[in-house]
């Protein structure tokens, strides 16, 4: 991943901020266009909800719209007026739509090197895509489903308007919200993948290149060492459901 941190000859390289792709759902409220007329996708939808999702998308490193009719489209792609929602489609058509969107999403992630994908949408859009999360080589976040502060559309709009959540302002996807995919990061050591619950945690931390000070200091470290604690948290989540590891044995 682009967020990997590497230690060389005692020097710690700065960890670049994650490159985040935002995907927002389309809306039923649209501009009335003449036959043959098109507008950029982000301008087609004219509800106040879309305005907030659009603001979040424009403060991301990449921004696409999940259209019920056209699939995954770049926010600047020209679209005509249409009247189609997932709720009006058969289950088979919805699953076909999800297959197509997930395939396009994986190609975009691979091509442009995104570290994370934030999906801003209701459950009718997120649920069909969820089955594909593990096949997408990026951290997937669905804040409208996982954020405690989002209990409805109004709270979701406020969440999108909060500059603290905007991808351009964060240093780790977890600052946006919970990572819901189970894709292990590139730096995940083989010793974890092969673990049968008998992991030597000191060996694990050493293989990851974690400074000794991170897990031997009597107090919580700060600065660069604090960043390693964040990275260890990512490691725990990456394997917590896949492997039988007692993380309470890790001292850090």
């Amino acid at each position: 991943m682009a967020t990997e941190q590497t230690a060389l000859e005692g020097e710690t390289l700065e960890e670049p901020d994650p490159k985040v792709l935002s995907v927002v759902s389309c809306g039923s409220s649209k501009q009335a266009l003449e036959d043959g007329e098109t507008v950029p996708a982000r301008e087609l939808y004219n509800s106040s909800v879309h305005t907030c999702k659009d603001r979040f998308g424009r403060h991301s490193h990449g921004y696409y719209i999940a259209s019920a009719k056209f699939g995954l489209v770049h926010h600047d792609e020209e679209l005509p007026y249409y009247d189609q929602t997932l709720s009006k489609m058969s289950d088979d058509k919805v699953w076909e739509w999800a297959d197509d969107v997930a395939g396009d999403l994986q190609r975009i992630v691979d091509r442009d090197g995104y570290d994370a994908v934030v999906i801003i949408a209701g459950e009718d859009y997120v649920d069909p895509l969820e089955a594909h999360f593990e096949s997408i080589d990026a951290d997937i976040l669905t804040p409208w489903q996982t954020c405690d502060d989002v209990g409805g559309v109004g709270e979701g709009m406020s969440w999108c308007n909060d500059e603290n959540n905007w991808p351009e302002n964060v240093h780790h996807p977890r600052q946006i919200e919970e990572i819901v995919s189970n894709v292990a990061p590139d730096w995940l050591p083989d010793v974890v993948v092969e673990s049968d619950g008998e992991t030597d945690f000191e060996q694990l931390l050493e293989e990851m290149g974690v400074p000794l000070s991170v897990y031997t200091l009597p107090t919580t470290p700060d600065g660069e060492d604090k960043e390693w604690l964040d990275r260890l948290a990512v490691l725990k989540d990456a394997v917590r459901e896949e492997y039988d590891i007692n993380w309470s044995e890790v001292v850090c």
Side-chain angles (χ1 to χ4, degrees):
M1 293 178 66
T3 54
E4 183 173 0
Q5 187 174 25
T6 308
L8 293 175
E9 299 179 357
E11 293 186 7
T12 301
L13 301 181
E14 285 298 319
E15 199 171 329
D17 291 342
K19 186 176 181 181
V20 181
L21 172 67
S22 289
V23 176
V24 310
S25 57
C26 62
S28 58
S29 178
K30 304 178 183 71
Q31 291 191 49
L33 302 179
E34 301 291 337
D35 287 346
E37 184 182 3
T38 63
V39 294
R42 59 172 291 265
E43 298 178 13
L44 176 61
Y45 314 99
N46 59 6
S47 70
S48 57
V49 180
H50 177 74
T51 298
C52 296
K53 292 189 291 187
D54 176 67
R55 182 175 294 114
F56 182 91
R58 288 186 288 111
H59 288 282
S60 307
H61 306 97
Y63 168 24
Y64 282 74
I65 294 172
S67 161
K69 182 174 179 63
F70 296 105
L72 194 65
V73 298
H74 190 270
H75 69 273
D76 277 337
E77 182 175 336
E78 294 281 327
L79 293 184
Y81 176 87
Y82 66 92
D83 182 18
Q84 184 167 316
T85 63
L86 293 187
S87 61
K88 296 179 182 179
M89 296 161 58
S90 68
D91 288 347
D92 287 345
K93 288 295 184 182
V94 170
W95 292 116
E96 182 179 334
W97 172 89
D99 286 344
D100 290 342
V101 169
D104 289 341
L105 188 54
Q106 178 62 68
R107 283 188 286 274
I108 292 167
V109 166
D110 288 345
R111 182 192 68 199
D112 297 331
Y114 288 104
D115 300 298
V117 178
V118 181
I119 302 176
I120 308 293
E123 291 182 353
D124 52 341
Y125 281 76
V126 171
D127 287 353
L129 292 171
E130 189 171 2
H132 300 277
F133 285 174
E134 291 187 17
S135 66
I136 299 171
D137 191 19
D139 293 327
I140 310 295
L141 303 93
T142 56
W144 279 22
Q145 283 70 45
T146 60
C147 181
D148 291 338
D149 295 332
V150 179
V153 174
E155 289 90 345
M157 294 167 65
S158 295
W159 186 93
C160 287
N161 287 331
D162 187 343
E163 296 182 20
N164 293 318
N165 298 323
W166 293 350
E168 67 180 20
N169 295 332
V170 306
H171 305 293
H172 192 284
R174 287 188 176 284
Q175 291 176 266
I176 301 173
E177 240 304 293
E178 177 185 350
I179 297 171
V180 298
S181 55
N182 294 316
V183 177
D186 290 346
W187 47 262
L188 188 65
D190 291 339
V191 66
V192 175
V193 175
E194 297 169 358
S195 171
D196 60 359
E198 300 297 325
T199 303
D200 180 335
F201 289 105
E202 281 200 24
Q203 177 188 347
L204 168 61
L205 297 172
E206 181 180 349
E207 185 165 339
M208 289 174 62
V210 180
L212 213 62
S213 57
V214 171
Y215 55 96
T216 57
L217 283 175
T219 58
T220 302
D222 54 17
E224 291 182 354
D225 284 351
K226 174 63 171 64
E227 293 178 8
W228 278 106
L229 288 188
D230 294 337
R231 190 168 177 184
L232 286 176
V234 176
L235 174 66
K236 294 176 188 181
D237 280 352
V239 298
R240 64 183 173 182
E241 296 179 357
E242 192 75 18
Y243 306 103
D244 182 20
I245 294 178
N246 180 9
W247 286 105
S248 63
E249 297 177 29
V250 181
V251 180
C252 61

